[in-house]
Every structure is written in structure tokens, then in C-alpha cells.
Amino acid sequence: MILRFIKAYALDSMMRGVVWVVIRERRTPPAELGPMLRQARERAGLGLREVARAVDLSPGYLWHLEAAERCPSVTVAHRLAAVLEFEETELAQLLAAAVDDAGRDHPSRIRVA
């Protein structure tokens, strides 16, 4: 994971001084991931909205995944695998591109029961 630290000045009157802000660089998936996801969806005979609904994603986010503009989280990758029938190599490719510290797997979003 690539992190950049920038110095920002607190604008709130209660917070004085310097605040360090962490900016995570967006990772890009392999170019072949998007077309592979689209082909798997079309093989299953499902529309983009149907798959998005089944895996609890917005259609726009699924579109970004299919356009190879976003990396799925590990959670999203497993949900896609449960809905779409991937070949063994496709599943390995999907899981290799999945990130474990963003989206639904970001540490601030994980709920402990």
C-alpha cells in the first residue's frame, strides 16, 4: 500500500496546530480484469443491475470494476464469485487483484460482533 502524508492546518478553532493527513494512492487493477468480469457476467446471462443487486453494490461501482478502473475489496470479490461462475484461472485473477484495506474491507468499516 502506498501512503502519502501531507501537512494540513486545522481550520476548526478547537483544533490548533498541524494535522497530518494520510492519503492512500488509488490502486488500479490489471487491464484484463474488467473484460474478464464482464464476460463472466454475460456468460451467466445476467445484466449489470442484476449482479449489482445480488452482491449489494451500486451499478455504477460494478461498472467501474468492469471498466478496470477500480480494484474490488476481498469481500466484494468473494460476493462476485458466489454469484458469477468463474473459471479457476479467472477466480485466481480476481482474488489476486482484490485489496484487503479498502472499500468494505477498510479497517474503519469492519464491525466486530
Short mmCIF file of all heavy atoms in Angstrom, two decimals, residues 36-100:
data_model
loop_
_atom_site.label_atom_id
_atom_site.label_comp_id
_atom_site.label_asym_id
_atom_site.label_seq_id
_atom_site.Cartn_x
_atom_site.Cartn_y
_atom_site.Cartn_z
N MET A 36 -12.74 -9.53 -18.15
CA MET A 36 -13.00 -10.86 -17.61
C MET A 36 -14.27 -10.84 -16.76
O MET A 36 -15.10 -11.74 -16.85
CB MET A 36 -11.80 -11.32 -16.77
CG MET A 36 -11.94 -12.72 -16.20
SD MET A 36 -12.69 -12.83 -14.57
CE MET A 36 -11.57 -11.91 -13.57
N LEU A 37 -14.45 -9.80 -15.93
CA LEU A 37 -15.67 -9.69 -15.12
C LEU A 37 -16.90 -9.57 -16.00
O LEU A 37 -17.92 -10.21 -15.76
CB LEU A 37 -15.58 -8.48 -14.19
CG LEU A 37 -14.63 -8.60 -13.00
CD1 LEU A 37 -14.51 -7.26 -12.29
CD2 LEU A 37 -15.12 -9.66 -12.04
N ARG A 38 -16.82 -8.74 -17.03
CA ARG A 38 -17.95 -8.55 -17.94
C ARG A 38 -18.30 -9.85 -18.65
O ARG A 38 -19.47 -10.21 -18.76
CB ARG A 38 -17.63 -7.46 -18.96
CG ARG A 38 -18.81 -7.08 -19.83
CD ARG A 38 -18.53 -5.92 -20.78
NE ARG A 38 -18.10 -4.74 -20.04
CZ ARG A 38 -16.84 -4.24 -20.10
NH1 ARG A 38 -15.93 -4.80 -20.87
NH2 ARG A 38 -16.53 -3.17 -19.41
N GLN A 39 -17.28 -10.58 -19.12
CA GLN A 39 -17.53 -11.85 -19.81
C GLN A 39 -18.18 -12.87 -18.88
O GLN A 39 -19.10 -13.59 -19.29
CB GLN A 39 -16.23 -12.41 -20.38
CG GLN A 39 -15.69 -11.62 -21.55
CD GLN A 39 -14.27 -12.01 -21.92
OE1 GLN A 39 -13.67 -12.88 -21.28
NE2 GLN A 39 -13.73 -11.37 -22.94
N ALA A 40 -17.74 -12.92 -17.63
CA ALA A 40 -18.34 -13.86 -16.67
C ALA A 40 -19.80 -13.49 -16.42
O ALA A 40 -20.65 -14.38 -16.33
CB ALA A 40 -17.55 -13.84 -15.36
N ARG A 41 -20.08 -12.21 -16.32
CA ARG A 41 -21.48 -11.77 -16.12
C ARG A 41 -22.33 -12.13 -17.32
O ARG A 41 -23.45 -12.65 -17.17
CB ARG A 41 -21.52 -10.26 -15.86
CG ARG A 41 -22.92 -9.71 -15.72
CD ARG A 41 -22.93 -8.24 -15.41
NE ARG A 41 -22.24 -7.40 -16.36
CZ ARG A 41 -22.73 -7.02 -17.55
NH1 ARG A 41 -23.92 -7.44 -17.94
NH2 ARG A 41 -22.03 -6.24 -18.35
N GLU A 42 -21.82 -11.87 -18.52
CA GLU A 42 -22.58 -12.17 -19.73
C GLU A 42 -22.75 -13.67 -19.91
O GLU A 42 -23.81 -14.12 -20.37
CB GLU A 42 -21.89 -11.54 -20.94
CG GLU A 42 -22.00 -10.02 -20.94
CD GLU A 42 -21.17 -9.34 -22.01
OE1 GLU A 42 -20.33 -10.02 -22.66
OE2 GLU A 42 -21.36 -8.12 -22.19
N ARG A 43 -21.74 -14.47 -19.56
CA ARG A 43 -21.86 -15.94 -19.61
C ARG A 43 -22.99 -16.43 -18.72
O ARG A 43 -23.68 -17.37 -19.04
CB ARG A 43 -20.56 -16.60 -19.15
CG ARG A 43 -19.65 -17.04 -20.23
CD ARG A 43 -18.58 -18.02 -19.73
NE ARG A 43 -18.09 -17.83 -18.40
CZ ARG A 43 -16.96 -17.22 -18.08
NH1 ARG A 43 -16.18 -16.73 -19.02
NH2 ARG A 43 -16.58 -17.11 -16.83
N ALA A 44 -23.14 -15.75 -17.57
CA ALA A 44 -24.19 -16.13 -16.62
C ALA A 44 -25.56 -15.63 -17.08
O ALA A 44 -26.57 -15.97 -16.47
CB ALA A 44 -23.87 -15.57 -15.24
N GLY A 45 -25.58 -14.81 -18.13
CA GLY A 45 -26.85 -14.30 -18.65
C GLY A 45 -27.48 -13.24 -17.75
O GLY A 45 -28.69 -13.09 -17.74
N LEU A 46 -26.65 -12.53 -17.01
CA LEU A 46 -27.16 -11.52 -16.08
C LEU A 46 -26.80 -10.12 -16.53
O LEU A 46 -25.74 -9.90 -17.12
CB LEU A 46 -26.57 -11.77 -14.68
CG LEU A 46 -26.93 -13.10 -14.03
CD1 LEU A 46 -26.10 -13.31 -12.77
CD2 LEU A 46 -28.41 -13.16 -13.72
N GLY A 47 -27.67 -9.20 -16.22
CA GLY A 47 -27.40 -7.80 -16.51
C GLY A 47 -26.59 -7.18 -15.39
O GLY A 47 -26.48 -7.72 -14.28
N LEU A 48 -26.03 -6.03 -15.68
CA LEU A 48 -25.20 -5.33 -14.71
C LEU A 48 -25.98 -5.02 -13.43
O LEU A 48 -25.49 -5.23 -12.33
CB LEU A 48 -24.65 -4.04 -15.34
CG LEU A 48 -23.60 -3.33 -14.52
CD1 LEU A 48 -22.33 -3.17 -15.33
CD2 LEU A 48 -24.10 -1.97 -14.11
N ARG A 49 -27.21 -4.53 -13.58
CA ARG A 49 -28.02 -4.19 -12.40
C ARG A 49 -28.38 -5.44 -11.59
O ARG A 49 -28.43 -5.38 -10.36
CB ARG A 49 -29.28 -3.46 -12.81
CG ARG A 49 -29.03 -2.06 -13.31
CD ARG A 49 -30.33 -1.39 -13.74
NE ARG A 49 -30.08 -0.13 -14.38
CZ ARG A 49 -29.98 1.04 -13.73
NH1 ARG A 49 -30.13 1.07 -12.43
NH2 ARG A 49 -29.74 2.15 -14.40
N GLU A 50 -28.62 -6.55 -12.26
CA GLU A 50 -28.95 -7.79 -11.55
C GLU A 50 -27.78 -8.25 -10.67
O GLU A 50 -27.97 -8.62 -9.52
CB GLU A 50 -29.29 -8.90 -12.54
CG GLU A 50 -30.59 -8.70 -13.29
CD GLU A 50 -30.76 -9.76 -14.35
OE1 GLU A 50 -30.02 -9.71 -15.36
OE2 GLU A 50 -31.61 -10.65 -14.15
N VAL A 51 -26.58 -8.22 -11.25
CA VAL A 51 -25.41 -8.65 -10.48
C VAL A 51 -25.14 -7.66 -9.36
O VAL A 51 -24.86 -8.07 -8.22
CB VAL A 51 -24.17 -8.78 -11.40
CG1 VAL A 51 -22.92 -9.06 -10.58
CG2 VAL A 51 -24.39 -9.89 -12.42
N ALA A 52 -25.26 -6.37 -9.65
CA ALA A 52 -25.03 -5.36 -8.61
C ALA A 52 -25.98 -5.58 -7.44
O ALA A 52 -25.58 -5.52 -6.27
CB ALA A 52 -25.20 -3.96 -9.20
N ARG A 53 -27.24 -5.84 -7.73
CA ARG A 53 -28.22 -6.07 -6.68
C ARG A 53 -27.89 -7.34 -5.89
O ARG A 53 -27.97 -7.36 -4.66
CB ARG A 53 -29.62 -6.17 -7.30
CG ARG A 53 -30.74 -6.11 -6.29
CD ARG A 53 -32.14 -6.12 -6.93
NE ARG A 53 -32.27 -5.15 -8.02
CZ ARG A 53 -32.46 -5.47 -9.31
NH1 ARG A 53 -32.56 -6.73 -9.67
NH2 ARG A 53 -32.57 -4.53 -10.22
N ALA A 54 -27.48 -8.37 -6.59
CA ALA A 54 -27.19 -9.66 -5.95
C ALA A 54 -25.99 -9.59 -5.02
O ALA A 54 -25.93 -10.30 -4.01
CB ALA A 54 -26.97 -10.75 -7.00
N VAL A 55 -25.01 -8.73 -5.33
CA VAL A 55 -23.81 -8.64 -4.49
C VAL A 55 -23.82 -7.38 -3.63
O VAL A 55 -22.81 -7.07 -2.99
CB VAL A 55 -22.51 -8.73 -5.32
CG1 VAL A 55 -22.39 -10.08 -5.98
CG2 VAL A 55 -22.42 -7.63 -6.34
N ASP A 56 -24.93 -6.67 -3.62
CA ASP A 56 -25.11 -5.48 -2.79
C ASP A 56 -24.10 -4.38 -3.13
O ASP A 56 -23.40 -3.86 -2.26
CB ASP A 56 -25.03 -5.85 -1.30
CG ASP A 56 -25.50 -4.72 -0.40
OD1 ASP A 56 -26.35 -3.94 -0.83
OD2 ASP A 56 -25.00 -4.62 0.74
N LEU A 57 -24.03 -4.07 -4.43
CA LEU A 57 -23.18 -2.98 -4.92
C LEU A 57 -24.05 -2.02 -5.72
O LEU A 57 -25.11 -2.40 -6.19
CB LEU A 57 -22.09 -3.50 -5.87
CG LEU A 57 -21.04 -4.43 -5.33
CD1 LEU A 57 -20.15 -4.89 -6.48
CD2 LEU A 57 -20.22 -3.74 -4.27
N SER A 58 -23.55 -0.82 -5.92
CA SER A 58 -24.25 0.06 -6.83
C SER A 58 -23.89 -0.35 -8.25
O SER A 58 -22.77 -0.83 -8.50
CB SER A 58 -23.85 1.52 -6.59
OG SER A 58 -22.53 1.75 -7.04
N PRO A 59 -24.81 -0.17 -9.20
CA PRO A 59 -24.47 -0.50 -10.59
C PRO A 59 -23.27 0.32 -11.09
O PRO A 59 -22.46 -0.18 -11.87
CB PRO A 59 -25.74 -0.14 -11.37
CG PRO A 59 -26.83 -0.23 -10.36
CD PRO A 59 -26.21 0.20 -9.06
N GLY A 60 -23.15 1.54 -10.62
CA GLY A 60 -22.03 2.39 -11.03
C GLY A 60 -20.69 1.82 -10.58
O GLY A 60 -19.71 1.85 -11.33
N TYR A 61 -20.64 1.31 -9.36
CA TYR A 61 -19.39 0.73 -8.87
C TYR A 61 -19.05 -0.53 -9.65
O TYR A 61 -17.89 -0.74 -10.01
CB TYR A 61 -19.48 0.42 -7.37
CG TYR A 61 -18.21 -0.15 -6.82
CD1 TYR A 61 -17.08 0.64 -6.69
CD2 TYR A 61 -18.11 -1.48 -6.46
CE1 TYR A 61 -15.88 0.12 -6.20
CE2 TYR A 61 -16.93 -2.01 -5.98
CZ TYR A 61 -15.82 -1.20 -5.85
OH TYR A 61 -14.65 -1.72 -5.38
N LEU A 62 -20.05 -1.37 -9.94
CA LEU A 62 -19.80 -2.57 -10.74
C LEU A 62 -19.31 -2.17 -12.13
O LEU A 62 -18.42 -2.81 -12.68
CB LEU A 62 -21.05 -3.44 -10.82
CG LEU A 62 -20.91 -4.76 -11.57
CD1 LEU A 62 -19.78 -5.61 -11.00
CD2 LEU A 62 -22.21 -5.52 -11.56
N TRP A 63 -19.86 -1.10 -12.69
CA TRP A 63 -19.40 -0.61 -13.98
C TRP A 63 -17.92 -0.23 -13.91
O TRP A 63 -17.14 -0.56 -14.81
CB TRP A 63 -20.24 0.59 -14.44
CG TRP A 63 -19.84 1.07 -15.80
CD1 TRP A 63 -20.34 0.64 -16.98
CD2 TRP A 63 -18.85 2.04 -16.09
NE1 TRP A 63 -19.71 1.30 -18.01
CE2 TRP A 63 -18.79 2.16 -17.50
CE3 TRP A 63 -18.00 2.83 -15.33
CZ2 TRP A 63 -17.91 3.04 -18.14
CZ3 TRP A 63 -17.13 3.69 -15.97
CH2 TRP A 63 -17.09 3.79 -17.35
N HIS A 64 -17.51 0.45 -12.83
CA HIS A 64 -16.10 0.81 -12.66
C HIS A 64 -15.22 -0.44 -12.55
O HIS A 64 -14.09 -0.45 -13.05
CB HIS A 64 -15.90 1.69 -11.42
CG HIS A 64 -16.30 3.10 -11.62
ND1 HIS A 64 -15.62 3.97 -12.43
CD2 HIS A 64 -17.34 3.79 -11.12
CE1 HIS A 64 -16.21 5.15 -12.42
NE2 HIS A 64 -17.27 5.06 -11.63
N LEU A 65 -15.71 -1.48 -11.91
CA LEU A 65 -14.95 -2.73 -11.84
C LEU A 65 -14.79 -3.33 -13.23
O LEU A 65 -13.71 -3.77 -13.62
CB LEU A 65 -15.63 -3.73 -10.91
CG LEU A 65 -15.63 -3.42 -9.42
CD1 LEU A 65 -16.47 -4.44 -8.67
CD2 LEU A 65 -14.23 -3.37 -8.87
N GLU A 66 -15.89 -3.34 -14.00
CA GLU A 66 -15.85 -3.92 -15.34
C GLU A 66 -15.03 -3.07 -16.31
O GLU A 66 -14.56 -3.57 -17.32
CB GLU A 66 -17.26 -4.12 -15.88
CG GLU A 66 -18.00 -5.26 -15.21
CD GLU A 66 -19.32 -5.58 -15.88
OE1 GLU A 66 -19.71 -4.90 -16.84
OE2 GLU A 66 -19.97 -6.55 -15.43
N ALA A 67 -14.88 -1.79 -16.02
CA ALA A 67 -14.05 -0.92 -16.85
C ALA A 67 -12.59 -0.95 -16.40
O ALA A 67 -11.76 -0.22 -16.94
CB ALA A 67 -14.60 0.51 -16.78
N ALA A 68 -12.28 -1.78 -15.41
CA ALA A 68 -10.93 -1.91 -14.85
C ALA A 68 -10.43 -0.57 -14.32
O ALA A 68 -9.26 -0.24 -14.44
CB ALA A 68 -9.96 -2.50 -15.86
N GLU A 69 -11.33 0.17 -13.69
CA GLU A 69 -10.96 1.44 -13.06
C GLU A 69 -10.84 1.33 -11.55
O GLU A 69 -10.33 2.24 -10.91
CB GLU A 69 -12.00 2.52 -13.40
CG GLU A 69 -12.03 2.87 -14.87
CD GLU A 69 -13.09 3.89 -15.20
OE1 GLU A 69 -13.82 4.34 -14.29
OE2 GLU A 69 -13.20 4.23 -16.39
N ARG A 70 -11.32 0.25 -10.97
CA ARG A 70 -11.26 0.04 -9.53
C ARG A 70 -10.86 -1.39 -9.23
O ARG A 70 -11.16 -2.32 -9.97
CB ARG A 70 -12.63 0.29 -8.88
CG ARG A 70 -13.19 1.66 -9.05
CD ARG A 70 -12.53 2.62 -8.09
NE ARG A 70 -13.21 3.88 -8.04
CZ ARG A 70 -12.99 4.90 -8.86
NH1 ARG A 70 -12.14 4.77 -9.84
NH2 ARG A 70 -13.64 6.03 -8.71
N CYS A 71 -10.21 -1.56 -8.07
CA CYS A 71 -9.91 -2.90 -7.56
C CYS A 71 -11.01 -3.27 -6.58
O CYS A 71 -11.38 -2.46 -5.73
CB CYS A 71 -8.58 -2.90 -6.81
SG CYS A 71 -7.15 -2.73 -7.86
N PRO A 72 -11.53 -4.48 -6.66
CA PRO A 72 -12.54 -4.88 -5.69
C PRO A 72 -11.90 -5.18 -4.33
O PRO A 72 -10.72 -5.52 -4.26
CB PRO A 72 -13.13 -6.15 -6.30
CG PRO A 72 -11.99 -6.73 -7.08
CD PRO A 72 -11.23 -5.54 -7.61
N SER A 73 -12.68 -5.03 -3.29
CA SER A 73 -12.20 -5.48 -1.98
C SER A 73 -12.29 -7.01 -1.97
O SER A 73 -12.96 -7.62 -2.83
CB SER A 73 -13.05 -4.88 -0.86
OG SER A 73 -14.36 -5.41 -0.91
N VAL A 74 -11.66 -7.63 -1.01
CA VAL A 74 -11.72 -9.09 -0.89
C VAL A 74 -13.18 -9.52 -0.69
O VAL A 74 -13.63 -10.50 -1.29
CB VAL A 74 -10.82 -9.57 0.27
CG1 VAL A 74 -11.00 -11.06 0.51
CG2 VAL A 74 -9.36 -9.25 -0.03
N THR A 75 -13.91 -8.77 0.12
CA THR A 75 -15.32 -9.09 0.37
C THR A 75 -16.12 -9.05 -0.92
O THR A 75 -16.90 -9.97 -1.21
CB THR A 75 -15.92 -8.12 1.40
OG1 THR A 75 -15.19 -8.25 2.62
CG2 THR A 75 -17.39 -8.40 1.65
N VAL A 76 -15.96 -8.00 -1.71
CA VAL A 76 -16.68 -7.87 -2.98
C VAL A 76 -16.26 -8.98 -3.94
O VAL A 76 -17.11 -9.56 -4.63
CB VAL A 76 -16.48 -6.47 -3.58
CG1 VAL A 76 -16.97 -6.41 -5.02
CG2 VAL A 76 -17.19 -5.42 -2.73
N ALA A 77 -14.99 -9.31 -3.98
CA ALA A 77 -14.52 -10.38 -4.86
C ALA A 77 -15.19 -11.70 -4.51
O ALA A 77 -15.64 -12.44 -5.39
CB ALA A 77 -13.00 -10.51 -4.77
N HIS A 78 -15.32 -12.01 -3.22
CA HIS A 78 -15.97 -13.25 -2.80
C HIS A 78 -17.46 -13.23 -3.13
O HIS A 78 -18.04 -14.25 -3.51
CB HIS A 78 -15.74 -13.53 -1.32
CG HIS A 78 -14.36 -14.03 -1.02
ND1 HIS A 78 -13.92 -15.28 -1.38
CD2 HIS A 78 -13.31 -13.43 -0.42
CE1 HIS A 78 -12.67 -15.44 -1.02
NE2 HIS A 78 -12.27 -14.32 -0.43
N ARG A 79 -18.10 -12.07 -2.98
CA ARG A 79 -19.52 -11.97 -3.33
C ARG A 79 -19.73 -12.16 -4.82
O ARG A 79 -20.69 -12.80 -5.24
CB ARG A 79 -20.08 -10.62 -2.88
CG ARG A 79 -20.23 -10.52 -1.39
CD ARG A 79 -20.78 -9.19 -0.99
NE ARG A 79 -20.88 -9.08 0.46
CZ ARG A 79 -21.38 -8.03 1.08
NH1 ARG A 79 -21.80 -6.99 0.39
NH2 ARG A 79 -21.43 -8.00 2.40
N LEU A 80 -18.84 -11.58 -5.63
CA LEU A 80 -18.94 -11.77 -7.08
C LEU A 80 -18.75 -13.24 -7.43
O LEU A 80 -19.46 -13.79 -8.28
CB LEU A 80 -17.90 -10.91 -7.80
CG LEU A 80 -18.19 -9.42 -7.88
CD1 LEU A 80 -16.96 -8.66 -8.36
CD2 LEU A 80 -19.38 -9.14 -8.79
N ALA A 81 -17.80 -13.90 -6.77
CA ALA A 81 -17.54 -15.31 -7.04
C ALA A 81 -18.74 -16.18 -6.68
O ALA A 81 -18.97 -17.21 -7.33
CB ALA A 81 -16.31 -15.77 -6.26
N ALA A 82 -19.51 -15.78 -5.68
CA ALA A 82 -20.69 -16.55 -5.28
C ALA A 82 -21.82 -16.42 -6.30
O ALA A 82 -22.63 -17.34 -6.44
CB ALA A 82 -21.17 -16.10 -3.90
N VAL A 83 -21.86 -15.31 -7.01
CA VAL A 83 -22.95 -15.06 -7.95
C VAL A 83 -22.57 -15.48 -9.37
O VAL A 83 -23.39 -16.04 -10.10
CB VAL A 83 -23.35 -13.56 -7.92
CG1 VAL A 83 -24.33 -13.23 -9.03
CG2 VAL A 83 -23.94 -13.21 -6.57
N LEU A 84 -21.34 -15.20 -9.77
CA LEU A 84 -20.89 -15.49 -11.13
C LEU A 84 -20.07 -16.78 -11.14
O LEU A 84 -19.39 -17.10 -10.18
CB LEU A 84 -20.04 -14.34 -11.67
CG LEU A 84 -20.73 -12.99 -11.72
CD1 LEU A 84 -19.75 -11.91 -12.15
CD2 LEU A 84 -21.93 -13.02 -12.65
N GLU A 85 -20.16 -17.51 -12.22
CA GLU A 85 -19.41 -18.76 -12.34
C GLU A 85 -18.08 -18.46 -13.02
O GLU A 85 -18.02 -18.34 -14.24
CB GLU A 85 -20.21 -19.79 -13.12
CG GLU A 85 -21.48 -20.21 -12.41
CD GLU A 85 -22.29 -21.20 -13.20
OE1 GLU A 85 -21.75 -21.81 -14.16
OE2 GLU A 85 -23.47 -21.37 -12.87
N PHE A 86 -17.04 -18.36 -12.22
CA PHE A 86 -15.72 -18.09 -12.75
C PHE A 86 -14.98 -19.39 -13.01
O PHE A 86 -15.15 -20.36 -12.27
CB PHE A 86 -14.89 -17.27 -11.75
CG PHE A 86 -15.36 -15.86 -11.59
CD1 PHE A 86 -16.01 -15.45 -10.43
CD2 PHE A 86 -15.15 -14.92 -12.59
CE1 PHE A 86 -16.43 -14.15 -10.28
CE2 PHE A 86 -15.58 -13.62 -12.44
CZ PHE A 86 -16.22 -13.23 -11.30
N GLU A 87 -14.16 -19.36 -14.04
CA GLU A 87 -13.24 -20.47 -14.25
C GLU A 87 -12.16 -20.34 -13.18
O GLU A 87 -12.00 -19.30 -12.57
CB GLU A 87 -12.64 -20.39 -15.65
CG GLU A 87 -13.68 -20.57 -16.74
CD GLU A 87 -13.12 -20.34 -18.13
OE1 GLU A 87 -11.89 -20.15 -18.26
OE2 GLU A 87 -13.92 -20.35 -19.07
N GLU A 88 -11.40 -21.40 -12.97
CA GLU A 88 -10.39 -21.40 -11.92
C GLU A 88 -9.37 -20.27 -12.09
O GLU A 88 -9.02 -19.58 -11.13
CB GLU A 88 -9.69 -22.75 -11.89
CG GLU A 88 -9.22 -23.17 -10.52
CD GLU A 88 -8.75 -24.60 -10.53
OE1 GLU A 88 -9.57 -25.50 -10.76
OE2 GLU A 88 -7.55 -24.79 -10.28
N THR A 89 -8.91 -20.07 -13.30
CA THR A 89 -7.91 -19.02 -13.55
C THR A 89 -8.52 -17.63 -13.37
O THR A 89 -7.85 -16.72 -12.89
CB THR A 89 -7.31 -19.13 -14.97
OG1 THR A 89 -8.38 -19.10 -15.93
CG2 THR A 89 -6.51 -20.40 -15.12
N GLU A 90 -9.79 -17.47 -13.74
CA GLU A 90 -10.47 -16.18 -13.56
C GLU A 90 -10.62 -15.85 -12.08
O GLU A 90 -10.40 -14.71 -11.67
CB GLU A 90 -11.84 -16.19 -14.24
CG GLU A 90 -11.80 -16.27 -15.74
CD GLU A 90 -13.17 -16.44 -16.34
OE1 GLU A 90 -14.07 -17.02 -15.69
OE2 GLU A 90 -13.35 -16.00 -17.49
N LEU A 91 -11.00 -16.85 -11.30
CA LEU A 91 -11.16 -16.64 -9.86
C LEU A 91 -9.83 -16.25 -9.22
O LEU A 91 -9.76 -15.34 -8.40
CB LEU A 91 -11.73 -17.88 -9.19
CG LEU A 91 -11.98 -17.78 -7.69
CD1 LEU A 91 -12.94 -16.64 -7.36
CD2 LEU A 91 -12.51 -19.09 -7.15
N ALA A 92 -8.76 -16.92 -9.63
CA ALA A 92 -7.43 -16.59 -9.10
C ALA A 92 -7.04 -15.17 -9.47
O ALA A 92 -6.48 -14.43 -8.65
CB ALA A 92 -6.40 -17.59 -9.63
N GLN A 93 -7.36 -14.77 -10.69
CA GLN A 93 -7.07 -13.41 -11.15
C GLN A 93 -7.86 -12.38 -10.35
O GLN A 93 -7.33 -11.34 -9.95
CB GLN A 93 -7.39 -13.30 -12.64
CG GLN A 93 -7.06 -11.99 -13.26
CD GLN A 93 -7.44 -11.95 -14.74
OE1 GLN A 93 -7.99 -12.91 -15.28
NE2 GLN A 93 -7.16 -10.85 -15.38
N LEU A 94 -9.14 -12.66 -10.12
CA LEU A 94 -9.99 -11.75 -9.35
C LEU A 94 -9.47 -11.59 -7.92
O LEU A 94 -9.34 -10.47 -7.41
CB LEU A 94 -11.42 -12.27 -9.33
CG LEU A 94 -12.42 -11.51 -8.47
CD1 LEU A 94 -12.62 -10.09 -8.98
CD2 LEU A 94 -13.75 -12.25 -8.42
N LEU A 95 -9.15 -12.70 -7.27
CA LEU A 95 -8.68 -12.64 -5.89
C LEU A 95 -7.29 -12.00 -5.78
O LEU A 95 -6.98 -11.34 -4.79
CB LEU A 95 -8.68 -14.03 -5.27
CG LEU A 95 -10.07 -14.65 -5.10
CD1 LEU A 95 -9.97 -16.08 -4.57
CD2 LEU A 95 -10.95 -13.79 -4.20
N ALA A 96 -6.47 -12.16 -6.81
CA ALA A 96 -5.15 -11.52 -6.80
C ALA A 96 -5.26 -10.00 -6.91
O ALA A 96 -4.44 -9.27 -6.35
CB ALA A 96 -4.30 -12.06 -7.95
N ALA A 97 -6.29 -9.51 -7.60
CA ALA A 97 -6.48 -8.07 -7.76
C ALA A 97 -7.22 -7.45 -6.58
O ALA A 97 -7.19 -6.22 -6.40
CB ALA A 97 -7.26 -7.79 -9.05
N ALA A 98 -7.86 -8.27 -5.75
CA ALA A 98 -8.64 -7.76 -4.63
C ALA A 98 -7.73 -7.16 -3.56
O ALA A 98 -6.63 -7.64 -3.33
CB ALA A 98 -9.48 -8.89 -4.03
N VAL A 99 -8.23 -6.10 -2.93
CA VAL A 99 -7.46 -5.43 -1.88
C VAL A 99 -8.15 -5.65 -0.54
O VAL A 99 -9.36 -5.74 -0.45
CB VAL A 99 -7.29 -3.92 -2.18
CG1 VAL A 99 -6.48 -3.72 -3.44
CG2 VAL A 99 -8.64 -3.24 -2.33
N ASP A 100 -7.34 -5.75 0.51
CA ASP A 100 -7.90 -6.05 1.83
C ASP A 100 -7.94 -4.85 2.76
O ASP A 100 -8.22 -5.00 3.94
CB ASP A 100 -7.13 -7.19 2.48
CG ASP A 100 -5.68 -6.84 2.73
OD1 ASP A 100 -5.24 -5.75 2.34
OD2 ASP A 100 -4.98 -7.67 3.33
#
